[in-house]
Amino acid sequence: MKKTYDLRCLLFEITSRCNAGCKQCGSRCDTTGEDILTKDDILNTLKDIKKNIGTDVMVNISGGEPLMRKDLFDIMTEVTKLGFDWGMVTNGSLITDDVIKKMKRSGMKTITVSLDGVKDTHDELRLIPNGYEKVIEALKKLKKADFLDELQITFTANHKNVYELPQIYDIMSLIGIDSIRVGFMDPIGRAMDYPDLMLTKEEMEFLFWFINKKNKEGKLPIQWGCPHFFSNRADRHDFFCFAGIWAASVLSNGDIFVCPNVERRADLIQGNIKRDSFSKVWNEGFEYFRNRPLPDECKGCAYEKDCAGDSLHTFDFDTQSPRFCYKRIFKKEQHKKYFAFLEQKYGKFELEEIFDKEDAPSVYIEPGAYEDMRDYFHMGRKHPLSMYEQQMGMVGFKLGKDYVVRYVFPDDGHLRYKDNAIFDQRIIKKAKQETKIIKENYYFSDDRTDFMGQSGLIFLGFAHSHPIQKELTYSIGDEMIHKRLNKMFKGHYIGILINPADDTIGAYIGDKIQQGRLKIIKQVNA
């Protein structure tokens, strides 16, 4: 039986004409565009959708600049009568008192107005004389009119404006808008002509920090716009590229497509509303987007399931590879920062590496955690308490595809057994409780300024001992438990196996129980 896909969002380019020349424009719109779609083209498409899909679809009108189309509100009044909710994306420069009256009468529900910095910056980026003042005035009038379900601005962050976001946030808070939508200036459309405006890694980090900080305050919400994958950062948005899954578009020439920001290639166009039924195309087309193959360079990546080649709007279809890659931008820098942190904290340190295999993920154990581990398991000794299997939980964070163990905690004594320790639901419950306690008390500890901080800490897995077995290999029971926990913790689970008397230790990672490169961090005394 063929899988069905619910259409939730339809992006309708009602014109290709625009009165701006924005440097970040994904479709290179300007005043030379034209209105190819007739009123009947638009309404017949929506009647088809109503009949065969339903009206539980948000229609988002865009362009070009939608307000350059003179019959816009005549068309949209009919769209409202058909039973659809609709909204508009606009640069805001053409909004007048008369336009606001027409918006209200036609049943418009939402509006997103572009604002890309304070006065000089916004006007330079959008090339509309006095554009900033026009946007601010329009927002104030729309707020006063009080007929919209959502009054939003969109802020496209780039190298020139990123540090102006706090000012914009304060100004929008005073006006009283409902939300801010933040996106990146990506290498698409006209933006490809301005590579110097692309964000640096540090500027991206600033955005994460600021958005996370403001959303925690719970005042004016900030939403992520067209997203990218950013690993398992605690301050990131949830990543999902919904192009062709629950969103589609009709381009200004009638082409049926996915997100309008995706490269407009003939081999990706699904049809055209002037000759095809949109509902039929939606139900029977979009095969590539719904079953997109994983790029070769992404195969084997620790993030391949979550990222799946990143967003389509920055995908290079000629090379079949992502133009934007979290790992390329952040991974090396993240490790570099971590080692700088270790040097600051411990002075001189060394890494004792166990199992040196180049392509294997690494598991770092910090000095405090390793010391606690050695004490609990009585490593290097045949101690009476260590002659039965014992177990410890591990808390730390991800570092790219690698792991860092920062804290360990013992399991209850009832779990001990000679060579087949008990494992039950109480262990999982305790692991979650202990992780929660560590996170809650982090800022009251001596570690409060540590790398990654409270928000990055997660439960990583268990370390357990095999005191009788000489070789460090999982039992059949260990393998079953490891795979179950790896599924429970969404593919980010590590196990550490210890023989206390022989003072040996090994790490195992993921569903395939791959042996990891264990790296024990040791402080070198001066």
Side-chain angles (χ1 to χ4, degrees):
M1 184 176 178
K2 188 173 180 179
K3 184 177 178 180
T4 58
Y5 293 84
D6 293 330
L7 179 65
R8 304 180 201 171
C9 176
L10 178 63
L11 302 150
F12 221 120
E13 281 188 348
I14 207 160
T15 181
S16 62
R17 291 184 295 140
C18 187
N19 62 323
C22 306
K23 294 179 179 178
Q24 63 268 42
C25 181
S27 51
R28 295 182 180 270
C29 292
D30 57 32
T31 56
T32 63
E34 55 184 324
D35 300 341
I36 296 174
L37 298 178
T38 67
K39 178 179 179 179
D40 286 343
D41 289 333
I42 297 164
L43 293 179
N44 287 338
T45 298
L46 290 168
K47 287 174 184 176
D48 168 46
I49 292 172
K50 178 179 180 177
K51 179 181 177 181
N52 298 300
I53 297 175
T55 58
D56 192 18
V57 178
M58 184 66 188
V59 180
N60 288 297
I61 301 301
S62 67
E65 170 50 53
L67 292 174
M68 291 194 74
R69 181 151 181 158
K70 296 188 183 302
D71 60 352
L72 170 66
F73 294 109
D74 292 335
I75 296 170
M76 300 318 295
T77 297
E78 296 301 316
V79 171
T80 298
K81 288 177 181 178
L82 287 172
F84 291 96
D85 286 342
W86 67 277
M88 180 194 301
V89 180
T90 173
N91 63 44
S93 65
L94 302 178
I95 295 175
T96 63
D97 291 333
D98 185 54
V99 167
I100 291 174
K101 288 176 184 177
K102 291 178 180 179
M103 288 175 173
K104 189 172 182 178
R105 283 199 300 263
S106 62
M108 191 172 84
K109 298 289 187 181
T110 67
I111 192 167
T112 299
V113 183
S114 299
L115 183 62
D116 291 323
V118 295
K119 178 175 170 43
D120 290 344
T121 304
H122 175 87
D123 292 354
E124 180 185 337
L125 289 168
R126 294 206 162 251
L127 304 179
I128 298 176
N130 300 314
Y132 176 81
E133 286 91 345
K134 291 175 181 177
V135 169
I136 297 300
E137 187 65 22
L139 291 170
K140 290 177 179 177
K141 288 180 176 181
L142 288 165
K143 176 65 179 178
K144 185 177 180 181
D146 193 26
F147 66 94
L148 294 166
D149 292 345
E150 180 87 3
L151 173 57
Q152 181 186 72
I153 68 156
T154 182
F155 178 92
T156 303
N158 58 54
H159 185 62
K160 188 171 186 64
N161 70 6
V162 62
Y163 294 113
E164 293 179 6
L165 181 57
Q167 291 172 267
I168 295 299
Y169 182 91
D170 291 341
I171 294 166
M172 294 302 104
S173 297
L174 290 172
I175 292 174
I177 70 166
D178 297 308
S179 62
I180 298 174
R181 184 177 183 266
V182 175
F184 286 178
M185 183 170 174
D186 280 314
I188 56 175
R190 192 180 291 127
M192 295 184 76
D193 299 339
Y194 300 94
D196 291 345
L197 287 177
M198 301 301 170
L199 291 172
T200 65
K201 187 190 75 67
E202 289 73 20
E203 289 163 350
M204 292 179 192
E205 292 280 10
F206 168 77
L207 276 184
F208 297 144
W209 170 81
F210 182 77
I211 292 173
N212 188 47
K213 177 175 180 287
K214 288 302 177 183
N215 283 340
K216 279 184 176 180
E217 291 174 2
K219 296 175 182 177
L220 175 59
I222 306 179
Q223 304 166 3
W224 279 106
C226 293
H228 290 291
F229 173 76
F230 289 108
S231 183
N232 62 342
R233 302 178 56 92
D235 54 0
R236 75 170 178 89
H237 60 285
D238 291 328
F239 173 77
F240 177 63
C241 188
F242 46 76
I245 307 297
W246 53 261
S249 69
V250 176
L251 304 182
S252 60
N253 65 352
D255 282 344
I256 300 170
F257 198 44
V258 284
C259 168
N261 283 331
V262 175
E263 184 182 350
R264 303 179 185 200
R265 299 166 62 99
D267 56 333
L268 296 179
I269 300 298
Q270 303 298 297
N272 189 288
I273 63 170
K274 287 181 174 288
R275 64 173 185 270
D276 302 310
S277 159
F278 180 94
S279 62
K280 183 176 173 61
V281 172
W282 175 258
N283 290 325
E284 298 179 4
F286 294 91
E287 175 66 24
Y288 172 83
F289 303 103
R290 293 167 181 173
N291 297 286
R292 182 162 59 124
L294 187 71
D296 288 341
E297 74 171 82
C298 302
K299 292 174 181 176
C301 173
Y303 311 121
E304 67 175 65
K305 289 182 180 179
D306 297 320
C307 177
D310 199 61
S311 298
L312 274 167
H313 74 279
T314 51
F315 197 73
D316 188 328
F317 293 94
D318 289 324
T319 62
Q320 287 294 302
S321 63
R323 289 193 181 101
F324 184 97
C325 175
Y326 162 82
K327 193 165 68 172
R328 286 189 219 132
I329 295 172
F330 285 85
K331 181 177 177 289
K332 289 183 179 179
E333 286 296 320
Q334 199 176 29
H335 280 70
K336 189 176 178 181
K337 280 187 177 180
Y338 179 60
F339 292 133
F341 153 75
L342 290 175
E343 191 172 72
Q344 183 179 14
K345 184 170 183 178
Y346 298 111
K348 195 173 181 182
F349 69 93
E350 61 183 23
L351 297 176
E352 180 184 337
E353 186 163 327
I354 298 167
F355 183 67
D356 183 11
K357 187 177 179 184
E358 186 62 33
D359 60 345
S362 295
V363 176
Y364 298 89
I365 305 181
E366 293 191 349
Y370 189 59
E371 184 180 338
D372 290 345
M373 200 178 281
R374 291 192 66 83
D375 286 345
Y376 180 74
F377 288 110
H378 299 92
M379 291 176 68
R381 302 166 56 200
K382 291 186 177 181
H383 192 283
L385 293 177
S386 65
M387 299 311 290
Y388 277 7
E389 280 198 24
Q390 297 180 92
Q391 185 164 276
M392 301 189 88
M394 299 181 290
V395 173
F397 52 87
K398 288 293 301 298
L399 192 68
K401 70 175 183 178
D402 301 330
Y403 301 81
V404 176
V405 179
R406 172 158 290 165
Y407 303 107
V408 292
F409 55 85
D411 272 327
D412 295 334
H414 80 276
L415 302 172
R416 292 177 181 169
Y417 198 72
K418 193 164 188 176
D419 59 358
N420 188 21
I422 299 167
F423 192 94
D424 55 29
Q425 286 299 317
R426 286 175 291 179
I427 297 174
I428 304 297
K429 185 177 180 181
K430 179 174 180 181
K432 291 179 178 178
Q433 288 174 336
E434 292 290 336
T435 303
K436 182 180 178 183
I437 289 168
I438 289 169
K439 286 171 67 70
E440 285 178 348
N441 291 293
Y442 181 85
Y443 282 122
F444 301 104
S445 72
D446 292 336
D447 291 337
R448 61 188 176 274
T449 59
D450 270 1
F451 184 84
M452 290 297 283
Q454 178 193 46
S455 62
L457 294 174
I458 58 172
F459 176 73
L460 293 177
F462 292 105
H464 76 279
S465 61
H466 277 189
I468 297 174
Q469 183 178 312
K470 289 292 182 184
E471 293 185 3
L472 282 179
T473 56
Y474 268 11
S475 66
I476 293 174
D478 290 337
E479 289 184 2
M480 291 174 61
I481 292 168
H482 184 111
K483 289 185 176 182
R484 179 156 60 94
L485 292 173
N486 186 65
K487 186 176 181 181
M488 182 183 297
F489 292 102
K490 300 180 180 178
H492 301 305
Y493 177 83
I494 62 173
I496 286 182
L497 190 57
I498 293 169
N499 183 308
D502 288 351
D503 203 3
T504 52
I505 184 171
Y508 304 88
I509 298 170
D511 189 59
K512 295 181 181 178
I513 314 180
Q514 176 186 7
Q515 188 167 0
R517 301 168 71 188
L518 190 60
K519 297 180 180 180
I520 299 164
I521 301 166
K522 294 185 173 181
Q523 185 172 9
V524 177
N525 295 324

